Amino acid sequence: MMRTRPLKVALLGCGVVGSEVARIMTTHADDLAARIGAPVELAGVAVRRPGKVREGVDPALVTTDATALVKRGDIDVVVEVIGGIEPARALITTAFEHGASVVSANKALLAQDGAALHAAAEKHGKDLYYEAAVAGAIPLIRPLRESLAGDKVNRVLGIVNGTTNFILDKMDSTGAGYQEALDEATALGYAEADPTADVEGFDAAAKAAILAGIAFHTRVRLDDVYREGMAEVTAADFASAKEMGCTIKLLAICERAADGGSVTARVHPAMIPLTHPLASVRGAYNAVFVESDASGQLMFYGPGAGGSPTASAVLGDLVAVCRNRLNGATGPGESAYAALPVSGMGEVVTRYHISLDVADKPGVLAQVATVFAEHGVSIDTVRQQGKDGEASLVVVTHRASDAALVGTVEALRKLDTVRGVASIMRVEGE
């Protein structure tokens, strides 16, 4: 039997995502009520610019006083889509204190202060849901928190930023340079006017922290995630990748160590074989590949950003939280019981593709091979091309630690026959 008294929702932020949340709540009101077991009512919308016309939003609901809105006491659920650290953190904490559960899309805040927010939610007996914080419409957080709760996840490997995937895909498919591809992404609206958060990997790193924490039942903060941007990726790197049967993606990689005693989380460009499912992810789409003991290999794919896809994830959380509210229950909170140490990048083991500029004369290859051997890095393949006294030497290693590779490269730079290190690229997905 449906309850007639509505559940009241406060919306913090009414931009691209927030306006879609408000629209869907209005246009799908009957369906949402049927799925929840009670009507949901948009009780207030906090914005910074109250004079802006917001189609489908009653101007009487609009306020600039977000704090007063979450303190009302009659609010059942607060939906936070304003982003950033403050005032979002204070508003979410205040919402818990005044009896509301929270649905958030705030990856930066959750990556930085997720533990404190979970603790506040638990203290007040409220829900904190955030499916929309990672990979837009793709169901990912809930499968990791619930569907795979009985399994042991060993690795999460994913493309979690649509802007960077669009740029790299354009470079791969057309031969465009980095700046040319970025300019096109900006013109099409895939990249922000300031694309730093995307192309330097900050956005993906925040998502990696969230995914690693859930997958490994361990607190992983943004500062724990190793990060490299993609601005240095060149057309020559793509040419080398193609010769290896690979392409290049900006990957978020969260791994459990082979002995199970620690975890790592990292974001960086990497070559990935064309046979791997992630290699075929095109345009601005996202995909996440999960490897676990019992389930084996799973892949989640779809649009990772945009108003409608992200709003879809928000509304899914809203339905779940409202159902919990009606039943007097809460959903799963933070699971950090494993408390595994988070290792640094130096302990990560993977393959490497190294391109060297060297002198074109006898003995160079032997010198280079000796340096690799002295640092315990095994060579898989070598390719050398020379002309007019100069040559390029491409070395692909077997799996080695990042620390060993760093020592190898430092020693290579000291060789008189090595003119420079043109590029270093990790090889993943094998």
Side-chain angles (χ1 to χ4, degrees):
M1 182 175 180
M2 184 176 294
R3 192 181 82 165
T4 56
R5 185 173 68 81
L7 292 161
K8 294 188 176 182
V9 177
L11 179 60
L12 308 183
C14 198
V16 174
V17 176
S19 60
E20 273 296 291
V21 171
R23 183 190 68 78
I24 295 171
M25 285 185 64
T26 301
T27 58
H28 295 180
D30 292 342
D31 286 338
L32 291 173
R35 294 166 191 172
I36 292 168
V40 285
E41 174 188 313
L42 189 57
V45 181
V47 300
R48 286 184 296 176
R49 297 185 294 275
K52 181 180 177 181
V53 176
R54 295 172 173 86
E55 186 176 349
V57 176
D58 183 352
L61 298 178
V62 175
T63 178
T64 57
D65 194 343
T67 301
L69 179 59
V70 300
K71 281 184 174 181
R72 275 178 34 175
D74 65 335
I75 300 297
D76 294 288
V77 184
V78 169
V79 174
E80 183 270 309
V81 289
I82 56 178
I85 305 302
E86 293 291 359
R89 174 169 47 196
L91 291 170
I92 290 174
T93 303
T94 301
F96 291 141
E97 292 170 351
H98 288 78
S101 290
V102 173
V103 172
S104 176
N106 195 332
K107 54 187 170 287
L109 178 58
L110 288 159
Q112 179 171 306
D113 286 322
L117 295 179
H118 275 293
E122 183 177 0
K123 176 182 178 181
H124 296 284
K126 303 304 173 199
D127 275 324
L128 172 62
Y129 275 48
Y130 44 90
E131 184 67 64
V134 180
I138 305 171
L140 185 58
I141 300 298
R142 194 170 292 121
L144 285 173
R145 287 212 300 187
E146 301 177 30
S147 303
L148 297 176
D151 206 342
K152 179 184 177 183
V153 176
N154 296 310
R155 195 177 198 220
V156 180
L157 174 76
I159 299 165
V160 295
N161 183 279
T163 299
T164 56
N165 199 58
F166 177 89
I167 293 169
L168 292 173
D169 183 39
K170 185 62 61 174
M171 293 175 70
D172 185 27
S173 61
T174 69
Y178 168 76
Q179 189 60 52
E180 182 184 352
L182 173 59
D183 290 343
E184 182 172 350
T186 304
L188 293 173
Y190 291 125
E192 301 287 345
D194 180 359
T196 302
D198 294 324
V199 300
E200 292 299 327
F202 291 101
D203 176 83
K207 295 170 182 176
I210 295 169
L211 291 175
I214 297 170
F216 306 133
H217 305 278
T218 292
R219 287 178 178 169
V220 180
R221 301 180 73 251
L222 180 58
D223 291 345
D224 296 321
V225 181
Y226 174 84
R227 176 193 56 79
E228 284 181 25
M230 50 170 276
E232 301 303 316
V233 177
T234 66
D237 291 325
F238 274 101
S240 294
K242 288 180 179 179
E243 289 178 358
M244 289 182 58
C246 293
T247 187
I248 299 172
K249 300 290 186 181
L250 185 77
L251 298 177
I253 305 169
C254 312
E255 291 180 308
R256 189 189 299 269
D259 63 4
S262 64
V263 299
T264 57
R266 51 198 166 102
V267 169
H268 53 72
M271 293 183 181
I272 189 165
L274 295 174
T275 54
H276 194 283
L278 290 179
S280 62
V281 178
R282 300 296 185 186
Y285 275 72
N286 285 191
V288 176
F289 202 73
V290 178
E291 301 173 8
S292 64
D293 277 1
S295 300
Q297 297 178 332
L298 306 169
M299 191 166 105
F300 302 83
Y301 169 84
S308 294
T310 306
S312 171
V314 170
L315 267 295
D317 278 351
L318 179 63
V319 169
V321 170
C322 285
R323 286 172 175 168
N324 291 342
R325 191 87 172 184
L326 286 180
N327 294 326
T330 55
E334 182 188 34
S335 175
Y337 73 90
L340 296 171
V342 182
S343 298
M345 189 63 186
E347 297 179 47
V348 169
V349 176
T350 189
R351 296 178 68 204
Y352 291 87
H353 176 284
I354 304 105
S355 180
L356 305 172
D357 295 327
V358 299
D360 185 15
K361 62 182 183 179
V364 173
L365 180 56
Q367 286 183 325
V368 169
T370 297
V371 169
F372 275 89
E374 289 174 346
H375 289 81
V377 179
S378 176
I379 294 175
D380 181 18
T381 62
V382 178
R383 186 176 71 255
Q384 185 172 4
Q385 294 178 326
K387 185 178 181 181
D388 298 329
E390 297 296 329
S392 63
L393 191 66
V394 174
V395 178
V396 179
T397 74
H398 288 290
R399 291 174 64 82
S401 72
D402 190 81
L405 196 283
V406 169
T408 302
V409 172
E410 288 178 353
L412 287 171
R413 293 183 192 276
K414 296 176 182 178
L415 294 178
D416 291 338
T417 52
V418 174
R419 310 295 192 219
V421 179
S423 69
I424 302 172
M425 186 83 61
R426 295 173 182 87
V427 183
E428 302 286 349
E430 295 185 324

